[in-house]
Amino acid sequence: MNTKNKWIGKRTHFFTMLLLLFMVSNVIGQVKNKVPFSLRTSSLAPNPYTNKSIYNLRGDFTMIGNANLFDRRIWSSNPSSAAADNGRNGYMTFYKLPGELSSIKNSSSSNLVHPTGYELSCTKIVYVGLYWSGRGDNSNANVLGNGLDKSKVKLKLPGQSTYQNITANGIYKGAAAEDGIYTSYADITDKVLALGTNAWGSYSVADVATSEGDGDAVGYFGGWGMVIVYENPLMKWRDITVFDGYSYIESQDSKYKTGILDVSGFRAAQSGNINIKMGMMAGEGDNPIKGDSFEIKLRNTTDWELLKHSSNTSDNFFNSSVLISPNTRIPNYTNNYGTDIVMFDLGNTNNKFINNGQTSTSFRFGTSQDTYIIYNITFAVDAYVPDVEAENKVLTSNVTQNSNISPNQLLDFEIALRNKGSEAIKDGKLEINIPSTMHFVSANIDQSLDVKGTFTWSHPNSANPTITPGGKITWVFDKNLSAGSLTNILGKLNYRLRVSNDCVLLTSSVSNCMLNASLNGKVTGIGLTSGNTVNAPLVREYTQGLCSAAVFDDLKLNIVLGNDFLASCPALSPEGAKLFKVFCGSVTNAINRSDIVSYYPAGTKFYSQEPIVSGYETSLVVGDFPVNTTGQLFYAIVPGAQVGCYLKLKILLENITTQPTVNSIKVCLGESYNVNAQISTGGQQRGLILYYFDSLTSTTPLSSVPNPTQVGLYTYYVAEGVAGGSSSCFGSRVKFTIEISALPQVSTLQNKWEFCPNADATLQYSGSIGNGDTISWQYALDAQNLVWQDLLNTSFSNNVLVSLNNELRVSHANTSIDKVFIRVKIRNAANCIVYSNTMQLSIKQCNAISNPALPSTAGK
């Protein structure tokens, strides 16, 4: 609106007019940055763009929008009768889409059209911001007299038949000093992303807060706009920045007034022409009123150049244009009565505005007659992106993204290093972050390629990758990464990892989070010419088909635990925690720290509060672990674990009330034996084992099961329990004895006792007989199979007789006793038995006796 007319057009007394002019003389021609322009970020944008101030991507941005308030004569049979501006225009009327609900006061639509020449499935929207702006009165009240709320609109998404309410979380509601002009903002990224590829379609916005009819000299307006940032792997790299704020400018004395807007943070490409794309949203810039401008600073000078686009002139920049491409909207009028939504390319010939490597620029906006606000500037430049690609390829067969892997499985990888950018990289290195459930095994650098260097495995708390999972592989390049080749492989690193088979790591994590392994890393360095920092994540894979491009993302693998593995792991507590049982406890009711931490990777931190609790870090366990009889849960965070992933452990104090059974043992010297102690059923269920002691009060168990071998009576004790560190504990001790008795003495017999046929003979056992010892004689018949039997007088029909005085008598020797084996058996009072050597009876040939009346003495 012409602000000169705004003041002169009022019907007031002349002196009142002078007074008013005097009162505002100090504010004539103002630039009010009520909300300073700043980078807009989005917490709803997907990774890696969440809360990013610069959208650095292969892609672009676009804008859509429309006005909801027009001079109604523009859609009459005589559109030329419509006024060119909205000041003191009694014909300003809400526009409503065809077939609109009666409850809707105003509405319009605009189509989001997918860029031509690119595959729809390859395009991913990453940010959508909705703005609406208007004027319906001269105050900063939230609700107008017609009930419309400046902080609310209704939004209808593509393919949907109903509106949803949208509430603003910015930007500013102007008061009388800003003519009541307001601007509101809402982040609708999540709503649009949920549509997938159906997001490309018609958007309708209704009930923008504005008023109909004859306003004052400024006039009423109302409209909306959207900024959409999207990525497509086939597009060029761009740095896209979305700035918003609230800058109000007016000129009341026809003098040219200006404001400055600085833009920084982008990174222009290092070579070639820099293409610049601008997007802007503004309010209350009138179509017929000239004198407003928008300029960009020429680089390396103090000069400015006026800008314009295809729908305006350089001296009437803000002229109620909606310039989007393609401009498919309902309604679609050239004059949008105070709503400006424009996109245009800056003619950056010879990089006169922004040069290679430039990171900032400045804009100047001004007016000599009009009043308007600027609330959005979106800016895109061809970006400098060091295009280093390190493809992390899995060589293990049947292992790809989201594959299942097993404990202890070996995985082989190959990293191929390329530099597809236009600048060489110096001081380069590659780092691979190993998941906390994998162990480094080996690595080697391909010596046949240009880039070699050295590699190391490191871990902040360990030097042994065999026992410590996680850590980092670092490959330091021995030379610069030369630029310019899309396919040339500069270097290769092959490495091998082993999946952990640690039951604690794999079975006791919250929600089994440790079973989700993510592998990634980065290439870092410095641009040889620009000096800019390179920080490129690993390439997981290259997409195939129309959207073929590098995928910079984690390799995600799922560790699957088989039944055999689970059966080999100790049972968990009901809470799914690794269970540590402390039996009997100690004076301090604590378990030694070493007894716990030895089960976990080096550097693991333990907390008494669950890591989902705010401020849990203050519960760090730095010493021994407290214990009690109800059990206490602790939480362990392993180095390198994903955010929010932790292990559970429970320490439980238990007393041992069970005891084993055992029998005493009696054996003779040299006889083997086994202690037959049996653990109780309860002790077995609790995982207790047997311990032996040599006294009732001893606190140190014997190192092995008692097994004395010398004659004597030995006393021992056996108990159920656990041993080791502070958790040593034993139940009641059960006494048992081991008695080893001496053997009796036995004398040696002659090897052979010979007789003449029919002879009589006597053999007296000459050995001493101990007190309580008993002696008996035994015989055996077969030399090849000695089966011993007690010798009785009837054994050989009284031919061999045993007397009471341990004498052995042979009567009338005959062949029945020839080659019979004899031995002595002695048993003592302890029932210990010994045997003599074997003696053989033998019948020999003898000469006949001449006088048969005389008795034979052969065999004596």
Side-chain angles (χ1 to χ4, degrees), residues 233-252:
L234 303 181
M235 291 183 171
K236 64 174 64 177
W237 283 99
R238 290 183 173 92
D239 275 352
I240 301 172
T241 47
V242 180
F243 294 85
D244 59 26
Y246 184 100
S247 286
Y248 169 92
I249 187 169
E250 66 173 350
S251 179
Q252 299 165 0

Side-chain angles (χ1 to χ4, degrees), residues 420-720:
K420 297 183 177 182
S422 58
E423 181 180 28
I425 306 301
K426 67 177 183 178
D427 300 334
K429 66 179 179 181
L430 180 146
E431 296 177 334
I432 305 167
N433 298 314
I434 301 174
S436 54
T437 50
M438 294 186 184
H439 294 260
F440 171 74
V441 177
S442 62
N444 65 82
I445 299 169
D446 192 328
Q447 299 298 311
S448 67
L449 297 173
D450 187 48
V451 176
K452 302 176 185 65
T454 59
F455 76 86
T456 57
W457 175 85
S458 61
H459 190 284
N461 306 105
S462 175
N464 189 344
T466 302
I467 62 174
T468 304
K472 178 172 63 178
I473 302 172
T474 302
W475 174 17
V476 179
F477 309 143
D478 62 345
K479 59 182 62 177
N480 296 341
L481 304 183
S482 57
S485 174
L486 296 178
T487 59
N488 186 34
I489 297 176
L490 302 176
K492 279 186 180 180
L493 174 75
N494 289 80
Y495 65 100
R496 171 174 284 187
L497 303 178
R498 177 179 64 82
V499 182
S500 174
N501 62 347
D502 188 330
C503 288
V504 174
L505 281 181
L506 300 182
T507 65
S508 62
S509 62
V510 61
S511 301
N512 291 321
C513 59
M514 294 295 284
L515 301 182
N516 304 319
S518 293
L519 183 65
N520 208 332
K522 61 182 178 180
V523 178
T524 59
I526 299 174
L528 188 63
T529 303
S530 66
N532 288 332
T533 299
V534 177
N535 194 334
L538 300 185
V539 175
R540 186 187 75 205
E541 61 186 341
Y542 290 92
T543 58
Q544 303 299 314
L546 296 174
C547 308
S548 178
V551 178
F552 298 91
D553 199 3
D554 293 355
L555 172 65
K556 297 182 179 180
L557 301 172
N558 308 309
I559 303 174
V560 177
L561 308 181
N563 292 333
D564 290 343
F565 178 84
L566 291 171
S568 69
C569 294
L572 302 176
S573 75
E575 301 86 355
K578 163 67 178 174
L579 186 59
F580 293 89
K581 289 186 178 181
V582 182
F583 296 99
C584 300
S586 63
V587 175
T588 59
N589 284 328
I591 182 172
N592 286 342
R593 183 177 183 85
S594 60
D595 292 343
I596 300 296
V597 300
S598 60
Y599 285 85
Y600 295 85
T604 299
K605 293 184 177 181
F606 300 87
Y607 301 90
S608 59
Q609 289 187 342
E610 194 165 4
I612 60 174
V613 177
S614 177
Y616 77 93
E617 296 89 350
T618 60
S619 69
L620 179 69
V621 180
V622 295
D624 294 341
F625 289 76
V627 296
N628 57 56
T629 56
T630 59
Q632 183 169 351
L633 282 170
F634 294 90
Y635 308 91
I637 298 180
V638 177
Q642 300 178 37
V643 175
C645 185
Y646 51 91
L647 307 176
K648 293 181 178 181
L649 57 147
K650 185 176 185 179
I651 303 176
L652 179 64
L653 175 64
E654 289 188 348
N655 292 316
I656 299 177
T657 58
T658 57
Q659 64 183 39
T661 58
V662 65
N663 296 320
S664 292
I665 297 172
K666 288 185 177 183
V667 294
C668 299
L669 183 65
E671 185 179 349
S672 63
Y673 61 90
N674 292 308
V675 176
N676 62 345
Q678 298 293 321
I679 194 167
S680 68
T681 301
Q684 189 173 26
Q685 291 173 346
R686 296 169 67 184
L688 304 179
I689 58 176
L690 296 176
Y691 291 91
Y692 296 87
F693 303 85
D694 55 11
S695 76
L696 184 61
T697 58
S698 175
T699 58
T700 303
L702 299 175
S703 60
S704 61
V705 179
N707 187 33
T709 58
Q710 301 302 312
V711 172
L713 180 62
Y714 302 88
T715 301
Y716 297 101
Y717 301 86
V718 63
E720 298 176 0

Side-chain angles (χ1 to χ4, degrees), residues 111 167 202 262 307 311 452 532 583 606 611 754 776:
N111 283 5
T167 301
S202 178
D262 296 318
L307 299 178
S311 296
K452 302 176 185 65
N532 288 332
F583 296 99
F606 300 87
E754 293 182 315
S776 61

Side-chain angles (χ1 to χ4, degrees), residues 212-400:
E212 296 182 295
D214 186 4
D216 54 19
V218 177
Y220 300 140
F221 78 97
W224 60 275
M226 286 168 52
V227 179
I228 302 98
V229 179
Y230 57 90
E231 63 178 350
N232 185 299
L234 303 181
M235 291 183 171
K236 64 174 64 177
W237 283 99
R238 290 183 173 92
D239 275 352
I240 301 172
T241 47
V242 180
F243 294 85
D244 59 26
Y246 184 100
S247 286
Y248 169 92
I249 187 169
E250 66 173 350
S251 179
Q252 299 165 0
D253 56 359
S254 297
K255 292 183 179 180
Y256 188 65
K257 306 300 178 184
T258 61
I260 302 294
L261 176 61
D262 296 318
V263 177
S264 63
F266 58 85
R267 298 174 298 173
Q270 293 302 297
S271 61
N273 294 324
I274 302 301
N275 298 306
I276 307 171
K277 180 179 178 180
M278 289 286 301
M280 298 186 66
M281 296 183 191
E284 192 43 43
D286 288 306
N287 180 276
I289 301 176
K290 297 183 178 182
D292 45 89
S293 62
F294 194 71
E295 303 170 87
I296 187 171
K297 192 173 186 179
L298 294 167
R299 66 179 176 87
N300 300 326
T301 72
T302 58
D303 297 330
W304 300 81
E305 182 167 313
L306 290 166
L307 299 178
K308 68 182 184 69
H309 53 74
S310 60
S311 296
N312 68 0
T313 60
S314 60
D315 65 343
N316 189 11
F317 190 89
F318 300 100
N319 68 340
S320 299
S321 294
V322 174
L323 178 61
I324 54 180
S325 180
N327 199 340
T328 51
R329 55 197 175 96
I330 300 175
N332 190 346
Y333 295 116
T334 301
N335 186 349
N336 293 278
Y337 290 91
T339 296
D340 274 281
I341 304 169
V342 296
M343 292 188 302
F344 60 97
D345 294 326
L346 298 184
N348 192 33
T349 306
N350 297 322
N351 293 349
K352 63 180 179 178
F353 301 136
I354 295 178
N355 200 11
N356 299 119
Q358 192 166 327
T359 60
S360 64
T361 190
S362 297
F363 296 97
R364 184 168 69 181
F365 56 98
T367 185
S368 60
Q369 298 188 75
D370 212 351
T371 296
Y372 60 86
I373 63 165
I374 301 174
Y375 54 90
N376 174 277
I377 294 179
T378 303
F379 186 71
V381 297
D382 291 350
Y384 162 66
V385 176
D387 210 354
V388 177
E389 292 184 3
E391 181 187 7
N392 188 28
K393 184 178 181 180
V394 186
L395 300 182
T396 304
S397 60
N398 300 319
V399 176
T400 58

